[in-house]
């Protein structure tokens, strides 16, 4: 099956710093990538949808200036958490979809666990 | 009202038993439906898609009732390795294909 990687696997940072998370599709071209986050004992929540070469579409309640998404190539999307605070501590997971057919299977990365002190 | 509702469990089931989970979804515009499996502190992995006609994959059977906005998953002859959290997932609908996840049902298979 298709493989999606994320880097880093986990990160611990001080409050106020910015953290960049990378999501890569290793063996396919990802026209669309999605970013989710999961707080403890909560469901995964979609943060934004990113199409290669265009601006990301953010879900209601997600601050686009705080969570910067870049999808500059068909194999790489990045999420930057700017000025991170303890409440941003969460499990961030990306997924990637090949092609433009709606509802094609999404392949998930292994996730990045962010802890903000 | 939550968009996708599931009984969080945990369901403690002896090995070899049959277990069923249900979920309900609120967005009638949802087009696609899935069951995912998530192991502790890992990413979700697709278990199976769900169709109105019902579909089976080995020991797993999924069913969709669009009229009642209800999805089910049946696991037969449960194995220890089936212990995980099972996530009911629907597409957002309206032409968007971001996924809406339930909180999951925690299943523990006991030897």
């Amino acid at each position: 099956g298709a493989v999606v990687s994320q880097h880093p696997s986990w990160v611990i940072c001080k409050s106020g710093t910015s953290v960049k998370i990378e999501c890569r599709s290793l063996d396919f071209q990802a026209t669309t990538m999605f970013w989710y986050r999961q707080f403890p004992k909560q469901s995964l929540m979609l943060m934004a949808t990113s199409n290669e070469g265009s601006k990301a579409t953010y879900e209601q309640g997600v601050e686009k200036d705080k969570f910067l998404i870049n999808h500059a190539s068909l194999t790489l999307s990045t999420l930057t958490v700017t000025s991170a605070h303890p409440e941003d501590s969460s499990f961030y997971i990306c997924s990637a979809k090949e092609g433009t057919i709606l509802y094609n299977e999404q392949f998930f990365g292994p996730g990045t666990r962010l802890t903000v002190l | 009202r939550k968009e996708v509702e599931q009984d969080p469990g945990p369901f403690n089931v002896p090995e070899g038993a049959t277990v069923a989970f249900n979920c309900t979804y609120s967005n009638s515009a949802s087009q696609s439906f899935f069951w995912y499996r998530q192991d502790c502190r890992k990413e979700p992995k697709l278990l199976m898609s769900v169709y109105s006609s019902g579909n089976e994959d080995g020991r797993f059977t999924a069913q969709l009732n669009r009229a009642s906005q209800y999805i089910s998953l049946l696991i037969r002859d449960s194995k220890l390795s089936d212990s995980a959290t099972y996530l009911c997932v629907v597409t957002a609908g309206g032409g968007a294909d971001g996924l809406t996840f339930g909180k999951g049902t925690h299943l523990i298979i006991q030897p």
Side-chain angles (χ1 to χ4, degrees):
Chain A
V3 179
V4 175
S5 70
Q6 269 185 253
H7 178 80
S9 302
W10 57 269
V11 58
I12 301 172
C13 69
K14 292 182 179 179
S15 187
T17 59
S18 293
V19 176
K20 181 186 280 189
I21 302 170
E22 291 186 351
C23 176
R24 293 181 186 273
S25 57
L26 298 185
D27 51 3
F28 67 100
Q29 294 190 321
T31 312
T32 306
M33 286 183 167
F34 304 86
W35 286 96
Y36 298 83
R37 65 180 167 185
Q38 185 177 31
F39 293 106
K41 298 189 185 299
Q42 300 296 315
S43 57
L44 271 81
M45 296 293 292
L46 178 66
M47 298 176 68
T49 302
S50 169
N51 290 299
E52 185 264 339
S54 59
K55 289 184 180 179
T57 302
Y58 290 80
E59 295 299 301
Q60 195 172 14
V62 178
E63 299 173 57
K64 63 180 181 180
D65 294 328
K66 180 169 181 62
F67 299 98
L68 302 178
I69 292 173
N70 183 284
H71 191 169
S73 79
L74 285 171
T75 59
L76 173 64
S77 176
T78 60
L79 168 69
T80 301
V81 183
T82 61
S83 186
H85 291 284
E87 59 265 30
D88 299 322
S89 298
S90 188
F91 189 45
Y92 292 85
I93 307 179
C94 71
S95 71
K97 184 170 77 79
E98 184 176 21
T100 56
I101 297 174
L102 207 58
Y103 313 134
N104 264 3
E105 181 179 350
Q106 295 180 26
F107 299 96
F108 284 82
T112 297
R113 198 161 298 279
L114 171 64
T115 302
V116 184
L117 302 176
Chain B
R1 183 183 172 188
K2 294 176 185 166
E3 293 194 57
V4 179
E5 292 206 53
Q6 296 181 249
D7 182 341
F11 285 44
N12 289 281
V13 173
E15 191 176 7
T18 296
V19 59
F21 311 135
N22 307 315
C23 89
T24 57
Y25 61 95
S26 62
N27 185 353
S28 59
S30 297
Q31 295 290 329
S32 300
F33 309 88
F34 310 92
W35 283 102
Y36 276 74
R37 169 195 169 125
Q38 186 175 27
D39 293 292
C40 189
R41 301 174 77 84
K42 299 282 190 182
E43 77 276 20
K45 292 189 186 297
L46 179 65
L47 182 64
M48 58 197 305
S49 300
V50 189
Y51 307 110
S52 297
S53 54
N55 51 304
E56 189 174 309
D57 182 1
R59 298 182 292 108
F60 299 85
T61 301
Q63 194 80 44
L64 165 67
N65 184 320
R66 281 188 185 269
S68 302
Q69 296 181 198
Y70 170 98
I71 304 164
S72 65
L73 176 68
L74 181 79
I75 305 175
R76 290 180 298 277
D77 187 24
S78 52
K79 313 289 185 191
L80 294 177
S81 57
D82 294 334
S83 298
T85 297
Y86 290 83
L87 308 174
C88 180
V89 183
V90 306
T91 51
D97 58 347
L99 300 177
T100 301
F101 286 79
K103 279 189 181 182
T105 297
H106 189 37
L107 173 65
I108 302 169
I109 306 299
Q110 297 173 327

